[in-house]
Amino acid sequence: MDIALTTFAELGLAPDILRALNEMGYATPTPIQEQVIPLALQGGDILGAAQTGTGKTAAFALPLIQRLLPFANSGTSPAKHPIRALILTPTRELAIQVEESVKDYTKHVPLRSLVVFGGVNINTQIPILKAGVEILVATPGRLLDHVQNKTLMLNQVNTLVLDEADRMLDMGFMPDLKRIVELLPAQRVNMMFSATFPEEIRKLADSILNNATFIEVARNETAITVTQVVHPVHHERKRQLLVHLVKSRDLSQVLVFTGTKLGCNRLANELNKIGIHADAIHGDKSQQERMKALDAFKAGTVRVLVATDVAARGIDIEALPFVINYDLPHNPEDYVHRIGRTGRAGAKGEAISLVSASETRYLKDIEKLLDRNIDAVIVPGFEPGAAEVPAYQSREPRRSGNAGDRSQVAPRATNSQPTESRPPRAKPASQHDVLFDAPYVPSNPAQPANAPEAIRRTPKKQVAALFRTPVKSDSTE
Ligand code: AMP
């Protein structure tokens, strides 16, 4: 049976918009576009549960543009180009990318757009605002700066989009958002998108939207084209495992997430020292530095981009193949956002998490949110191992036997440290403990990298036990 795919034309989009989509190579709408576009064309409010990577930008931007077509004109008078649509995003990176998409979609129609965000000289934005733009993409703080300076007017806005509302909440933009909404005409169309729906987001939606249609696409799920895997590893060996994965699998365009700015810088420096070209983006980097790093990453001259959650928000790179969680986020929603950078709009992606014993609680939260388990795979030579056992635990020599279980343990480096220096072993309570009981042997940098095929799958029920041994602390910073 043939399955007829909906086309953009069938969604009711205008020829000039269809032409732009065609030129961009958009063949068919994504599920969120299929659902949002017809409703938004009719002017209904929308609450969208969709993360970045699902095609949500086009889902809100295309109907917004189409509804502005009657106002499109090539006149030179600023009065002919008031701000009619306001799109708010949490970060400058996302704002830039959204506006780039808007520019692409409006290529064949005389509608003007502009992006304004903080961290850059406000004076460069003023002349363009004064000349008039119909579609303004902004971060909340900078928008309010302009409002305060009276360098823009919001009294003709007929469409409001809140993109990544949950992130705006996380970043403390709620008071700014409320102030902005009060400045807008009451008669308007509202669209709000969020990957997650904590209580405060629901309240915000209630206060802003009118009779909104809730559209849910893969809520709290990651794009189906993203393969997710967890590599249990001792926290001290994460960097070596990262290097091993990058080198042995010849990975490029790898986005690596760390928990802190310090860890982000440190990891990028360490990778550079061993010849893996890396750069770091985080909140302490200037806008120029971030853009430079992002451009080099997009161009492929930077192989690994190390980022914190805030800095990486909204990064949009066509078919970003790999996302690696060097540190698991403490907030499970951040995991969903992070891995939303890969497997976008149908492209295949891989999300790899390096998880140490003390991070299992975060892993559990993530799995709860996703409502599924993530496969755990031990990379041979990087077993979590006995080094995770605090020295104060009393241990006794291992009993012989259980060879079958031992055979499950991957071969480790042969350049063992003198065994006399190791503490005596505790009796393994189960086969899980046998897996865990392997001694941690610092690897020899000269040791050839294991082939990726050697990666061994661990039965799911054993996974929890892989991390059973407590550790005192696991600061990667
Ligand atoms: P978004 O979720 O809006 O960040 O979109 C993710 C990526 O998918 C962007 O690079 C878009 O250009 C691309 N994209 C969005 N919609 C489509 C589509 N219908 N067909 C192909 N690519 C798309």
Side-chain angles (χ1 to χ4, degrees), residues 385-398 422-427 433 436-439 469:
E388 303 243 35
V389 180
Y392 56 80
Q393 282 201 353
S394 80
R395 323 196 82 198
E396 55 185 59
R398 180 199 295 278
R422 290 192 210 129
R425 306 262 185 88
K427 179 179 119 186
D433 290 338
F436 233 120
D437 203 23
T469 320

Side-chain angles (χ1 to χ4, degrees), residues 8 24-30 33 51-58 101 105 316-318 344-345:
F8 280 108
M24 291 176 75
Y26 287 19
T28 50
T30 65
Q33 292 163 359
Q51 68 200 52
T52 301
T54 52
K56 70 177 161 60
T57 311
S101 296
Y105 305 146
D316 180 15
I317 292 158
E318 219 56 62
R344 335 201 88 195

